[in-house]
Amino acid sequence: QADMALFKAKEAGRDTLRFFDPAMQAQLQQRARLEADLRQALPRGEFRLHYQPQVGGDGRMTGVEALLRWAHPAHGMVSPGDFIPLAEENRLIVPIGGWVLETACRQLAAWAADPATAELTISVNVSPVQFREAGFAEQVLATLARTGAPPTRLKLEVTESLFVDDRDEARKTMLCLKEHGVTFSLDDFGTGYSSLSYLKRLPLDQLKIDQSFVRDLLEDEASAAIVASTIALSESLQLEVIAEGVETEAQRAWLMAQGCQAFQGYFFGRPGPVESLPLQA
Ligand code: C2E
Ligand code: MG
Ligand code: MG
Ligand code: MG
């Protein structure tokens, strides 16, 4: 595919001579290789789900976020930031997201069978591309039914970008799933460009304060103000609020004092395979 693109660029003439910049050519080839590998990743069983604890005010784990990992045969563990944008472009995120959902639901069903873990929730990130696919709600419900996972333990993490153009469609999909007990969290809150008015209309359950604000909370007054306002806003809208990217005890204490009741971050635990979770066996 890369060769084809180069050939076409050559044919197109002078204006595209920049394609023959060796650095750019290398980049193009690397991308084509990544895309070819990504197409094989699902059939070859190279994806893994890692889980990161989410804790309440008392420090007890209430649930986890499922984070996708790609065990690439040559490059080792590849981070989602390095392949999800590409998977969204070529729509591979649809089958990949289906696998994530299935795997998380199977874990939920296993936990539901044991009273010690039955209350734990799993938050699953859903790409707007996947969410907007026709039949997405039905697919989620079918996965829940097939695996026997309790719908009330599944939380779907969506981002503001989902509500930019097709808010009504997204709302319908959310309402359908909520009827069955599935909950919704708004991930990376405050980093999008959408207006706050959608918060009134969408059936959200939780706001997730973006880690960029949490990171410099104690050094930057603007970040602190944004976090404090988000906590207050959640309270008045009766939404749960969770802070992500909490790395220190000082950040946790500050957030607690502001009224935040749920936390996630390296301070409480890094993402890892299910065996790494602090579950009382
Ligand atoms: P996100 O959903 O906002 O996930 C939080 C990211 O922050 C994760 O990165 C997590 O490992 C990292 N993180 C957690 N605690 C800390 C901390 O204390 N400090 C710092 N510096 N980072 C922390 P990760 O796993 O690389 O995932 C990156 C993004 O990729 C996610 O951001 C999410 O948007 C996306 N993603 C991950 N899994 C999936 C998936 O299954 N489907 C889709 N569509 N997107 C996914
Ligand atoms: Mg997330
Ligand atoms: Mg986030
Ligand atoms: Mg993020």
Side-chain angles (χ1 to χ4, degrees):
Q1 249 176 343
D3 291 339
M4 199 57 177
L6 291 172
F7 179 63
K8 279 185 189 151
K10 194 175 180 180
E11 274 193 326
R14 278 180 167 279
D15 289 348
T16 43
L17 273 179
R18 58 193 163 82
F19 272 105
F20 294 93
D21 173 305
M24 201 157 208
Q25 178 176 345
Q27 216 181 330
L28 213 71
Q29 278 174 345
Q30 201 192 337
R31 194 195 135 99
R33 220 173 293 133
L34 181 71
E35 183 158 5
D37 287 354
L38 196 56
R39 280 187 196 286
Q40 295 303 315
L42 204 52
R44 287 183 180 156
E46 292 169 357
F47 289 116
R48 309 278 179 269
L49 271 195
H50 278 185
Y51 298 95
Q52 184 177 33
Q54 296 181 332
V55 309
D58 57 3
R60 287 169 61 105
M61 183 166 75
T62 55
V64 297
E65 177 174 9
L67 293 159
L68 184 60
R69 299 291 180 261
W70 177 12
H72 189 284
H75 307 307
M77 281 294 175
V78 185
S79 297
D82 295 332
F83 66 88
I84 284 179
L86 179 61
E88 286 179 329
E89 260 174 64
N90 62 22
R91 306 190 67 80
L92 277 172
I93 194 66
V94 175
I96 294 172
W99 178 88
V100 170
L101 206 57
E102 172 92 25
T103 307
C105 283
R106 271 195 267 119
Q107 187 59 62
L108 273 179
W111 282 345
D114 181 343
T117 50
E119 310 270 277
L120 294 173
T121 58
I122 300 186
S123 296
V124 171
N125 294 283
V126 179
S127 156
V129 176
Q130 183 190 0
F131 194 97
R132 289 184 186 133
E133 259 303 91
F136 173 73
E138 290 74 15
Q139 189 211 346
V140 174
L141 295 176
T143 305
L144 286 163
R146 187 169 58 245
T147 56
T152 55
R153 300 288 172 251
L154 178 65
K155 191 168 284 175
L156 298 182
E157 291 196 2
V158 296
T159 52
E160 288 164 58
S161 62
L162 180 62
F163 309 117
V164 174
D165 18 80
D166 64 349
R167 196 199 301 172
D168 286 338
E169 268 311 301
R171 183 166 180 272
K172 271 184 219 155
T173 304
M174 290 171 80
L175 285 172
C176 169
L177 287 166
K178 276 196 72 74
E179 239 171 76
H180 291 82
V182 175
T183 58
F184 287 91
S185 179
L186 188 60
D187 203 358
D188 305 336
F189 183 71
T191 61
Y193 296 96
S194 44
S195 90
L196 287 180
S197 65
Y198 68 90
L199 286 180
K200 285 198 303 196
R201 297 201 54 241
L202 292 170
L204 291 163
D205 300 280
Q206 184 185 66
L207 295 186
K208 199 163 189 182
I209 305 171
D210 189 65
Q211 54 181 281
S212 61
F213 303 119
V214 174
R215 189 185 306 129
D216 43 24
L217 189 69
L218 298 167
E219 293 84 41
D220 178 44
E221 280 179 34
S223 291
I226 290 167
V227 172
S229 313
T230 304
I231 295 168
L233 181 68
S234 321
E235 234 162 70
S236 33
L237 293 173
Q238 292 178 298
L239 297 172
E240 200 190 306
V241 63
I242 181 167
E244 74 174 342
V246 181
E247 294 187 355
T248 66
E249 161 59 24
Q251 289 167 341
R252 186 204 65 86
W254 191 96
L255 287 158
M256 274 282 268
Q258 296 294 320
C260 186
Q261 347 81 311
F263 312 89
Q264 182 183 339
Y266 295 166
F267 181 68
F268 303 97
R270 291 187 177 250
V274 71
E275 302 79 41
S276 72
L277 290 172
L279 298 172
Q280 50 279 64

